[in-house]
């Protein structure tokens, strides 16, 4: 697996409180998580075609355990409502949304704005610095 660039300015969480709760609610209503086959080892209930198509250069979201669509969508929504988003780009859409599951695993969802559908993946060992950063922000916003 190749290492993603983690020093990109847009791969940072917006400052806490810089986006209103009403705006975060509006984002949660407008944006959606879909998932893609290139980040799956287990097809689960995603209905992907092909069912799975993991690439060696992609981080699978379900590397540790299967992650059903409802659980992934719930994590995505939690991240949105907690303000765990990157700065807005085209059309008021953040490129990244982050969330942490109950086991402390960090997930990153990504889109190509102005698209409003996201796919996600777990941040693995090649992303230790980014994982620490997201865990720190998550602990401040979701105590």
């Amino acid at each position: 697996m190749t290492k993603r660039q983690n020093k990109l300015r847009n791969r940072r969480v917006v400052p806490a409180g810089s986006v209103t709760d009403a705006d975060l609610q509006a984002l949660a209503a407008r944006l959606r998580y879909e998932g893609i086959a290139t980040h799956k080892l287990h097809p689960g209930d995603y209905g992907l075609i092909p069912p799975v198509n993991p690439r060696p250069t992609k981080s699978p979201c379900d590397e540790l355990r299967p992650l059903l669509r409802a659980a992934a969508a719930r994590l995505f929504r939690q991240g949105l409502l907690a303000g765990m988003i990157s700065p807005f780009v085209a059309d008021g859409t953040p490129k990244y949304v982050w969330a942490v599951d109950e086991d402390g695993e960090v997930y990153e969802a990504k889109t190509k704005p102005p698209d409003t559908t996201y796919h996600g993946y777990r941040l693995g060992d090649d992303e230790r610095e980014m994982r620490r950063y997201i865990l720190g922000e998550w602990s401040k916003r979701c105590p």
Side-chain angles (χ1 to χ4, degrees):
M1 180 180 341
T2 61
K3 186 173 181 175
R4 284 187 295 275
Q5 295 177 357
N6 62 1
K7 295 188 187 239
L8 299 174
R9 267 195 301 237
N10 68 351
R11 203 158 171 241
R12 291 289 181 220
V13 180
V14 295
S18 65
V19 181
T20 68
D21 287 342
D23 287 340
L24 293 173
Q25 288 283 346
L27 280 177
R30 185 169 63 90
L31 308 179
R32 67 184 190 280
Y33 176 83
E34 284 192 354
I36 58 173
T38 56
H39 287 285
K40 297 281 181 274
L41 297 174
H42 310 282
D45 59 350
Y46 287 83
L48 300 170
I49 300 174
V52 293
N53 187 23
R55 292 188 192 158
T57 58
K58 302 291 183 183
S59 299
C61 68
D62 55 0
E63 182 177 30
L64 298 178
R65 64 188 168 280
L67 185 63
L68 296 179
R69 187 179 182 135
R74 187 172 47 255
L75 280 169
F76 179 71
R77 182 174 172 76
Q78 286 173 332
L80 284 169
L81 295 177
M84 296 291 295
I85 58 175
S86 63
F88 295 124
V89 288
D91 197 29
T93 303
K95 183 172 183 174
Y96 298 100
V97 177
W98 295 274
V100 178
D101 72 9
E102 62 277 353
D103 295 325
E105 294 298 330
V106 176
Y107 292 88
E108 179 175 86
K110 181 179 179 182
T111 192
K112 290 182 180 176
D115 194 1
T116 58
T117 60
Y118 288 71
H119 66 277
Y121 38 86
R122 187 179 69 83
L123 295 184
D125 290 338
D126 63 328
E127 295 267 21
R128 286 187 184 112
E129 183 181 321
M130 188 67 181
R131 277 193 349 217
R132 275 193 299 271
Y133 168 67
I134 295 300
L135 285 168
E137 288 296 319
W138 186 264
S139 68
K140 292 175 196 171
R141 298 168 195 229
C142 304

